[in-house]
Amino acid sequence: MAAKGKCGPDVDNLKRLFKDSDRNGDGYLNVQELRDMLRRGNSNLSDRQIADTFVFLDGPQGDKRVTFEEFSKGLEQILGFVKQLETLFKDLDTSGDGTLNQQELKVLLERTGKNFTDQECAAILRSADKNGDNQISFKEFVDACT
């Protein structure tokens, strides 16, 4: 049985994914290999977001290549962050319908200590609401927070 990390990904599957994505076989991922891996996984990240992800994974050394250790550690941190967003989202979704409406979003915004007008909340909701249903899905919430 394969070992699992704290946040869940199967280490053997991660190693296989890393190795399969390391097209030139040098034991590292470059930004192009990371982009190709994410695109194969149907990621809708922009090139800029992929570049930011690469810099995050590359770590403080900034040697423009990602080791398996950097990859797995970074992925665990990303998954932990998404888990925190999920907890926050569920806490804010007081109606339990799986989306945030304007009033639920206002609660989040006011946790910052600033008072937001209804017009400001509506504008922020429109900015995050990519499908135009006047609500924020969890995916839209994650996209808006990253």
Side-chain angles (χ1 to χ4, degrees), residues 27-121:
Y28 303 96
L29 294 181
N30 61 41
V31 70
Q32 182 74 35
E33 291 167 332
L34 179 66
R35 189 198 79 189
D36 292 347
M37 174 185 47
L38 291 169
R39 296 276 158 80
R40 280 192 311 275
N42 295 319
S43 169
N44 62 352
L45 293 177
S46 69
D47 285 343
R48 179 69 195 157
Q49 289 170 314
I50 291 170
D52 289 345
T53 301
F54 183 83
V55 169
F56 172 77
L57 293 174
D58 193 22
Q61 289 178 309
D63 58 3
K64 296 186 178 24
R65 58 187 194 172
V66 174
T67 65
F68 175 74
E69 184 177 312
E70 291 170 328
F71 176 72
S72 59
K73 181 181 174 188
L75 185 59
E76 191 167 312
Q77 290 175 328
I78 290 168
L79 292 174
F81 176 68
V82 171
K83 187 71 170 166
Q84 289 175 335
L85 289 178
E86 183 178 24
T87 300
L88 176 60
F89 186 88
K90 286 179 180 178
D91 180 49
L92 295 168
D93 179 20
T94 56
S95 66
D97 66 355
T99 63
L100 299 181
N101 61 35
Q102 185 172 325
Q103 191 57 42
E104 291 165 330
L105 176 63
K106 188 171 186 170
V107 170
L108 170 65
L109 295 172
E110 290 185 345
R111 285 185 184 180
T112 67
K114 182 180 183 286
N115 288 324
F116 287 83
T117 67
D118 288 342
Q119 293 81 6
E120 290 170 323
C121 290

Side-chain angles (χ1 to χ4, degrees), residues 19 21-28 33:
K19 184 178 179 187
S21 298
D22 178 18
R23 296 290 185 191
N24 64 8
D26 65 357
Y28 303 96
E33 291 167 332

